[in-house]
Amino acid sequence: MKLADSEPLALQSGGDVVIGGLFPLHFVAPKPQNSYHSKPQLTPCKGFDHRAFRWMMTMVFAVEEINRNTSLLPGVKLGYRIMDSCDHVHTSLRALMSLVSHSKAWMGELKQMVKTEKRLDMPKETLPSCLVDYPVPAVIGLASSTPARAVAHILGPFNIPLVSFFATCTCLTNKDSYPSFLRTVPSDLFQLRGLVQLVTFLSWLWVGTIGTTDDYSQYGIQAFSSQFKKQGGCVAFHLIIPKSPSVTELQDIANKLQSSTAQVVVVFATEGQLLDLFLELAERNVTGIQWVASEAWVTASLLTSPHFHPILEGTLGFSFPGVMIPDLEEFLLNVRPSPKPGHEFVNMFWEDLFGCRLEFRGEGSKEREADTVNNVELDAFGHSKSFTSSQLLQHLKKVNFTNQFEEKVYFDSNGEPVPLYDIINWQKDSKGKIRFVKVGSYDGSALFRQQLQIDHSTIVWTEGQSQVPISQCSAPCLPGTRQARRLGEPHCCFDCLPCADGEFSNQTGSTECTKCPEYHWPDKEKVKCVAGIEEFLSFHDAIEVSDHLHYSSSGLSVCWLAFGLTFLPIQEPKLPSLNWKNHCGM
């Protein structure tokens, strides 16, 4: 069953069990244009994502490796049907509906196929090519949390597993809402804890945040800000990038970044969402900001072009642990364009990478290749295995093994793995290219003081600096002063006032001054207290003492005399009786 001209493209290969795949091969999805008067046309997405293409081809590589290893699934061939989610909800759901429609078509025609074979004794090789579209018992993919939530809502009631490799929102932990959702990456809950530890460990208590309108960003920024404030930090600003930002909106964000005193900015977004903003910042040559990246963009090669080097060199962030997979590099380097149906994504990659337009010759050879593929797929189709999605889901939940890299692979009760991260630093190599260098690690399952491991000496900071950048609203108050918080501003913003008389402070960043003990006074700088000076007179100073007493007594006598004269009663002279009322005006 085909949806004619509205059917999305797919990379596919037949097998006894066909796994669905949804990857964000493009990061700009078109706005739906539904007139409800005519059949909607398929509008292509824009902005080809090379990293997502590598993810997709890695899935293809894994399927082929499993099929070559006879000890893993003996007698069973895996197939795949992979589609472009365009990193958006409506395009992800459209791709999902395509997978489901193919499943329904296959299930309906399977019964008819069995009847036909029995009635006509038809060999499997001659079955119609539409029967190569098999049911999808599980789906791999969706890199963003919002599309993953939408798809998981649909698949959950049918117990069809959705296994994500990149959707990390804490909201997806809810098994009541997403009973069939699993992921091979940990929840953002652990990454957030690690990011808070990282910024506070580096004494960055005055930071800004940037996010978008999707679930991944909103949940992430909210949780980070909450935990950061509990550790004494202050959020200088929170900027939101709209879904389709206008030039004016991007300029407003850039203006706020330039005017802020915060030199450290934590960003929860994808590379596609950040591209236009970083282009604006690069145009303005906004440097000196220490970027802290979430896992969604910390290894995004899209942002490593020389145009972004002045603003993004030194970026620091969390990434999922990486390993060198044997033969994967060779497999990726041998990917070639082809006129065969189902290779459109590979052709798109070549055209985008080399800036060319592919043209194939010899349509006859193209048809012969397609016929050969269909025959191979039909042969595999004849050995289809019978099981339900619910059975597969239960087996997935019980997965527990050690892979070839000595890593434990299992899902906890929430369908999540062990929370392990690499700390990545963007550094220039000798050729002037940005490399993602591991400078530390974070283990969310370890004891608190053993979770964060980082090597300062290997980090390159923003603009290639070797010293840790400073980000503060107010510099710590020096000894002899105290902090006085500014009204209406975060507690990280304050003035420094000198200690009052009789008080001192001997530490940097004191919030209050301390009174000196009795008979002690602060020194001139008010950083310590000193004892009052006591003077003692010897026996030989007796004459001097008597002179002092004599002068003191004389002084006191004069004072008392003056005091007595002041209040001495004076007899008033007798005057003739006068009418004062007539002569004095009061």
Short mmCIF file of all heavy atoms in Angstrom, two decimals, residues 9 46 74 79-80 127 246 288 304 316 364 394 412 499 580:
data_model
loop_
_atom_site.label_atom_id
_atom_site.label_comp_id
_atom_site.label_asym_id
_atom_site.label_seq_id
_atom_site.Cartn_x
_atom_site.Cartn_y
_atom_site.Cartn_z
N LEU A 9 10.24 9.45 1.79
CA LEU A 9 11.34 8.60 1.35
C LEU A 9 11.77 7.68 2.49
O LEU A 9 11.58 7.99 3.67
CB LEU A 9 12.52 9.46 0.90
CG LEU A 9 12.27 10.38 -0.30
CD1 LEU A 9 13.49 11.27 -0.51
CD2 LEU A 9 11.95 9.58 -1.56
N LYS A 46 14.64 20.87 4.95
CA LYS A 46 15.88 21.55 4.57
C LYS A 46 16.93 21.39 5.67
O LYS A 46 16.62 21.04 6.80
CB LYS A 46 15.61 23.03 4.32
CG LYS A 46 14.63 23.31 3.19
CD LYS A 46 14.40 24.80 3.02
CE LYS A 46 13.41 25.07 1.89
NZ LYS A 46 13.15 26.54 1.72
N PRO A 74 20.88 -16.87 14.75
CA PRO A 74 20.99 -17.93 13.73
C PRO A 74 19.64 -18.19 13.05
O PRO A 74 18.61 -18.34 13.70
CB PRO A 74 21.44 -19.15 14.54
CG PRO A 74 21.04 -18.85 15.95
CD PRO A 74 21.15 -17.38 16.10
N GLY A 79 16.08 -6.82 8.92
CA GLY A 79 15.94 -5.79 7.90
C GLY A 79 15.65 -4.46 8.56
O GLY A 79 15.53 -4.37 9.78
N TYR A 80 15.51 -3.42 7.76
CA TYR A 80 15.24 -2.10 8.33
C TYR A 80 14.44 -1.26 7.34
O TYR A 80 14.48 -1.49 6.12
CB TYR A 80 16.54 -1.37 8.70
CG TYR A 80 17.55 -1.31 7.58
CD1 TYR A 80 17.47 -0.36 6.56
CD2 TYR A 80 18.60 -2.22 7.54
CE1 TYR A 80 18.40 -0.32 5.54
CE2 TYR A 80 19.54 -2.20 6.52
CZ TYR A 80 19.44 -1.25 5.51
OH TYR A 80 20.35 -1.22 4.50
N LEU A 127 6.33 -13.50 -6.07
CA LEU A 127 5.34 -12.70 -5.36
C LEU A 127 5.48 -11.23 -5.72
O LEU A 127 6.58 -10.77 -6.05
CB LEU A 127 5.51 -12.88 -3.84
CG LEU A 127 5.09 -14.24 -3.28
CD1 LEU A 127 5.47 -14.31 -1.81
CD2 LEU A 127 3.61 -14.50 -3.47
N SER A 246 12.92 35.32 13.92
CA SER A 246 13.11 36.38 12.94
C SER A 246 14.47 37.05 13.15
O SER A 246 15.13 36.83 14.18
CB SER A 246 12.00 37.42 13.06
OG SER A 246 12.06 38.07 14.32
N GLY A 288 34.71 36.00 23.90
CA GLY A 288 34.90 36.09 25.34
C GLY A 288 33.85 35.38 26.16
O GLY A 288 33.92 35.38 27.39
N THR A 304 31.41 23.63 13.79
CA THR A 304 32.87 23.68 13.92
C THR A 304 33.56 24.28 12.71
O THR A 304 34.79 24.20 12.61
CB THR A 304 33.43 22.26 14.16
OG1 THR A 304 33.09 21.43 13.04
CG2 THR A 304 32.87 21.66 15.44
N LEU A 316 32.82 23.89 26.38
CA LEU A 316 32.94 22.77 27.32
C LEU A 316 31.55 22.17 27.50
O LEU A 316 30.56 22.90 27.56
CB LEU A 316 33.48 23.29 28.65
CG LEU A 316 34.09 22.30 29.64
CD1 LEU A 316 35.37 21.70 29.07
CD2 LEU A 316 34.40 23.01 30.96
N GLY A 364 18.10 1.25 -17.44
CA GLY A 364 17.88 -0.19 -17.51
C GLY A 364 18.62 -0.93 -16.41
O GLY A 364 18.09 -1.83 -15.77
N GLN A 394 9.05 -7.09 26.35
CA GLN A 394 9.41 -7.76 27.61
C GLN A 394 10.84 -8.28 27.56
O GLN A 394 11.58 -8.22 28.55
CB GLN A 394 8.43 -8.91 27.90
CG GLN A 394 7.01 -8.44 28.18
CD GLN A 394 6.94 -7.39 29.28
OE1 GLN A 394 7.58 -7.53 30.33
NE2 GLN A 394 6.17 -6.33 29.05
N ASP A 412 17.33 -0.06 33.34
CA ASP A 412 16.79 -0.11 34.69
C ASP A 412 15.26 -0.12 34.63
O ASP A 412 14.66 -0.27 33.57
CB ASP A 412 17.33 1.06 35.53
CG ASP A 412 16.90 2.42 34.98
OD1 ASP A 412 16.00 2.47 34.13
OD2 ASP A 412 17.49 3.44 35.39
N CYS A 499 33.79 48.09 57.05
CA CYS A 499 33.29 47.71 58.37
C CYS A 499 33.10 48.95 59.24
O CYS A 499 33.85 49.93 59.13
CB CYS A 499 34.25 46.74 59.05
SG CYS A 499 34.35 45.11 58.26
N TRP A 580 4.34 97.22 83.23
CA TRP A 580 5.16 96.58 82.17
C TRP A 580 4.34 96.23 80.94
O TRP A 580 4.85 96.17 79.85
CB TRP A 580 5.85 95.33 82.71
CG TRP A 580 6.91 95.66 83.69
CD1 TRP A 580 6.83 95.60 85.03
CD2 TRP A 580 8.20 96.13 83.37
NE1 TRP A 580 8.00 96.00 85.63
CE2 TRP A 580 8.90 96.34 84.59
CE3 TRP A 580 8.91 96.46 82.19
CZ2 TRP A 580 10.19 96.82 84.67
CZ3 TRP A 580 10.21 96.91 82.27
CH2 TRP A 580 10.83 97.07 83.50
#
